Amino acid sequence: MEDAQSAPAYGRTNWRRFAVAVGVPAIVAGGLVVALAEGALAANFTISGKQFKLSASKLVGNGFTQYSSELDTAEGTVPAAMSGIESATLNDLCQSVAVGPVTLRIEAGGDPEHPVEATNLLIGMSELGGDATFENMQIGLDAGTLDAAQDEAHGASGGFGQQATKVTIIGLRQQAYYTSASTFTLNGMSLKLHVGGSHECYAD
């Protein structure tokens, strides 16, 4: 099949309280991104509401924040754990989105010397798994005061927030609604459409 591409978008409100329900509070990035001019996050985006999967053998991120939010869809809002990261590298990245019998799958960063690279990431996720190590972690901060990642990667004043200077995740698996980045370099990228069968990055 021929290559194809798509890009989700973003809208936000906030929760007063937030319980971390994704197993480990971490940040990941995908290949279907909205590039933001000069790193500025535009408000009032509407997402499709369709989740995509991402896996990687290793992610290393510098400057990490996490807080609660809701994402706007045409049908209403969905809750999401929002995470920001100032810069990141990912090895063996795979991202997939299935729509009916068709799966769009992206792979990149298979060469250990040339991983996927990203800056000023912002992700709205629903599930995250992997073995995570955080450096200089702070949990229970006011979400409006988070400052470990880029300026826009914080929540509303009074909300639950956490941050760390560095995060490393081994065996990353994630489901997300939205990803944005100032730059996203997919070294060794392969993008394919698959029809029939299971071609997602991992099984539920």
Side-chain angles (χ1 to χ4, degrees), residues 169-192:
I169 307 176
I170 305 299
L172 173 72
R173 289 189 173 188
Q174 178 232 357
Q175 291 197 48
Y177 293 101
Y178 169 83
T179 299
S180 69
S182 292
T183 62
F184 205 89
T185 304
L186 298 174
N187 292 308
M189 184 188 76
S190 170
L191 187 156
K192 296 180 180 179

Side-chain angles (χ1 to χ4, degrees), residues 16-144:
R16 179 70 178 174
R17 297 180 60 191
F18 174 52
V20 179
V22 295
V24 288
I27 180 70
V28 295
L32 306 179
V33 302
V34 176
L36 302 181
E38 299 179 354
L41 174 66
N44 301 320
F45 280 99
T46 300
I47 66 167
S48 69
K50 178 66 177 179
Q51 295 192 77
F52 54 90
K53 292 182 177 179
L54 180 140
S55 65
S57 61
K58 183 179 182 179
L59 175 145
V60 177
N62 294 301
F64 161 80
T65 63
Q66 188 174 63
Y67 53 95
S68 60
S69 186
E70 292 177 346
L71 301 176
D72 292 333
T73 75
E75 303 300 323
T77 61
V78 293
M82 302 299 299
S83 291
I85 191 166
E86 201 159 38
S87 64
T89 60
L90 298 96
N91 296 101
D92 302 310
L93 176 136
C94 175
Q95 182 173 290
S96 63
V97 57
V99 181
V102 178
T103 301
L104 170 64
R105 181 174 173 131
I106 298 171
E107 296 181 15
D111 183 349
E113 300 299 319
H114 298 91
V116 170
E117 300 176 353
T119 61
N120 294 332
L121 287 162
L122 187 65
I123 296 90
M125 71 182 78
S126 63
E127 295 182 17
L128 191 286
D131 297 324
T133 300
F134 300 91
E135 297 183 17
N136 302 311
M137 187 72 175
Q138 296 176 294
I139 300 173
L141 298 177
D142 186 313

Side-chain angles (χ1 to χ4, degrees), residues 65 138 141 145-151 153-154 163:
T65 63
Q138 296 176 294
L141 298 177
T145 68
L146 300 177
D147 59 4
Q150 63 270 28
D151 290 345
H154 64 81
Q163 64 182 13

